[in-house]
Amino acid sequence: MEHTPTGDPAYHAAVVDLLGVLAYGELTAFIRMAVDSDLAPTLSLKSAMAGLAHAEYVQYTQLVEHMRARGIDPEAAMAPFVVPFASYHERTRPRGWIEGLVKAFVGDGIAKDFYREMSAFVDDDTRAVMGHALDDAGQADFVVGVVRDTLKTDRTAAGRLALWGRRLLGEALSQAQAVAVERDAMSALLVGGGVDLAEVGQMFTRLTDNHQKRMALMGLSA
Amino acid sequence: MEHTPTGDPAYHAAVVDLLGVLAYGELTAFIRMAVDSDLAPTLSLKSAMAGLAHAEYVQYTQLVEHMRARGIDPEAAMAPFVVPFASYHERTRPRGWIEGLVKAFVGDGIAKDFYREMSAFVDDDTRAVMGHALDDAGQADFVVGVVRDTLKTDRTAAGRLALWGRRLLGEALSQAQAVAVERDAMSALLVGGGVDLAEVGQMFTRLTDNHQKRMALMGLSA
């Protein structure tokens, strides 16, 4: 994969966008997960969900430090993404603990898959900090067991949560689409990286495939 | 100050209570601050408030580790305090960003003052971990400036926030009172430590004095 030289202003703008969307995504994920941890039925689950939220915050601060060290204003970088993330979270407000849990697992998974795809088009330094922010210590693994247990005892849950998963994917892709239209530089990164439309299509296929795998892991159809 | 020997079951029960209430207080503070950070009018303030929440979570995990290392079940220790904290937070739901900010500063201050008083009655090991959890790196200092700026531009804020501060103190003391009645061992720690009613009265005077100082720091009457 070719890398546009870091001196190129268009490339710089794309990287600022990418770090901004990643950082703000982590910050809002932190807030939403903390909010949703309050719905947990037990102290142990509340603590586990709070731990997920905490991991997002730590990754957020790492990205902010990285941006500051490179003379990027983190707030300016994040600002364009306030509205899309607010829309996403507004449209995917969980109606209960299990929906919040599935959202944490599925939403985070989609976001991280997307950033992993994008990290192929950036310089090594940026890819390293993105990789760090995308590092998953398996803290979300408890979600799988909790959802599977719920499916055993609640017969209506499977259908409801399968729909919920589809909704989460749809809303995430629709916000990503809106961001792509709005943020030329970030989209140009794909095109500048020699990516044609067919390859963008394949990227979306990979994203939905991974989504399906995550849903299957929880015992849900996608 | 005398310490009841650590082998004494009543003393052990009191320490379990103390660590449980402290840990659960930090966990709920983490959640409430994260929730309230979502009300912040700027990214910079959202980030600062998220940082306060994060600090509570880190302290929470330290307490949980300490309990586990000493064979104390953290969930069992926290369980008796779920209802009082839920009541406190339910009764002090901020109606906006500034109320959330004042609550973070004032509520956390009252709680930490109380735990500092209690730490005089415990063994060195417990006092050390409590001190660690009570350590304030000055992260809440930004609150003072934000509230003072608000008072300059919003003429109705001073009266409203003074009332709000009084309400926070009242609700905190009333929940503390309910806990004291319910948790004999913890109350016995004071009495067992040779504390008479006059001294308990002085402790409450110190708590309200400190509250007054914190309010004054923000430019508010208590």
Side-chain angles (χ1 to χ4, degrees), chain A residues 12-214:
Chain A
H12 181 74
V15 166
V16 170
D17 267 4
L18 210 48
L19 294 174
V21 69
L22 186 47
Y24 194 65
E26 308 260 25
L27 182 60
T28 56
F30 159 73
I31 295 172
R32 297 326 306 172
M33 287 177 185
V35 171
D36 295 341
S37 75
D38 214 16
L39 302 170
T42 69
L43 276 177
S44 150
L45 290 172
K46 185 179 285 206
S47 193
M49 185 75 154
L52 281 189
H54 164 75
E56 298 281 346
Y57 180 82
V58 171
Q59 293 173 334
Y60 160 74
T61 54
Q62 286 166 349
L63 284 166
V64 165
E65 276 163 30
H66 174 87
M67 286 191 265
R68 289 226 174 92
R70 270 138 200 91
I72 299 169
D73 176 355
E75 282 157 46
M78 292 190 286
F81 308 105
V82 170
V83 170
F85 276 107
S87 304
Y88 170 74
H89 287 296
E90 188 53 52
R91 284 162 172 278
T92 58
R93 213 170 267 279
R95 279 161 309 175
W97 160 244
I98 289 291
E99 286 193 3
L101 202 60
V102 169
K103 179 178 170 180
F105 192 68
V106 156
D108 207 48
I110 297 167
K112 287 188 172 163
D113 277 346
F114 170 72
Y115 299 129
R116 237 171 248 126
E117 294 278 352
M118 294 303 283
S119 76
F121 304 98
V122 298
D123 58 278
D124 295 347
D125 184 38
T126 306
R127 189 180 310 113
V129 73
M130 285 180 74
H132 215 59
L134 295 173
D135 190 31
D136 189 339
Q139 279 168 301
D141 292 352
F142 79 95
V143 173
V144 171
V146 176
V147 174
R148 284 186 168 270
D149 283 349
T150 303
L151 297 182
K152 277 181 213 153
T153 54
D154 178 352
R155 284 175 173 269
T156 68
R160 205 160 34 83
L161 293 176
L163 270 177
W164 176 239
R166 244 167 282 167
R167 170 111 167 269
L168 291 168
L169 179 68
E171 294 293 347
L173 293 183
S174 120
Q175 293 306 325
Q177 165 93 7
V179 164
V181 169
E182 197 69 37
R183 308 304 295 173
D184 290 340
M186 205 156 56
S187 315
L189 194 63
L190 290 171
V191 182
V195 176
D196 63 21
L197 266 183
E199 284 174 296
V200 172
Q202 284 160 14
M203 183 178 122
F204 275 93
T205 305
R206 283 192 297 273
L207 286 179
T208 51
D209 279 356
N210 284 342
H211 170 71
Q212 222 157 354
K213 278 178 204 151
R214 271 187 297 270

Side-chain angles (χ1 to χ4, degrees), chain B residues 114-190:
Chain B
F114 171 72
Y115 299 128
R116 236 169 250 127
E117 294 278 351
M118 293 304 283
S119 76
F121 302 99
V122 297
D123 58 278
D124 295 347
D125 185 38
T126 306
R127 190 181 308 114
V129 73
M130 286 181 72
H132 215 60
L134 294 172
D135 190 32
D136 189 340
Q139 279 167 302
D141 292 353
F142 79 96
V143 173
V144 171
V146 175
V147 174
R148 284 188 167 269
D149 283 348
T150 303
L151 296 182
K152 278 181 211 151
T153 53
D154 179 351
R155 284 176 173 270
T156 68
R160 204 160 33 84
L161 292 175
L163 270 176
W164 176 241
R166 242 167 284 167
R167 171 114 166 267
L168 290 168
L169 179 68
E171 294 293 348
L173 293 182
S174 119
Q175 292 305 326
Q177 166 92 6
V179 164
V181 169
E182 198 69 38
R183 308 304 295 173
D184 290 340
M186 204 155 60
S187 315
L189 194 63
L190 290 171

Side-chain angles (χ1 to χ4, degrees), chain B residues 162-219:
Chain B
L163 270 176
W164 176 241
R166 242 167 284 167
R167 171 114 166 267
L168 290 168
L169 179 68
E171 294 293 348
L173 293 182
S174 119
Q175 292 305 326
Q177 166 92 6
V179 164
V181 169
E182 198 69 38
R183 308 304 295 173
D184 290 340
M186 204 155 60
S187 315
L189 194 63
L190 290 171
V191 182
V195 176
D196 63 20
L197 265 183
E199 284 174 295
V200 172
Q202 284 160 15
M203 183 178 122
F204 275 94
T205 306
R206 283 193 297 273
L207 286 179
T208 51
D209 280 356
N210 284 341
H211 170 71
Q212 221 157 356
K213 278 178 202 151
R214 271 187 296 270
M215 292 293 281
L217 211 57
M218 291 185 285

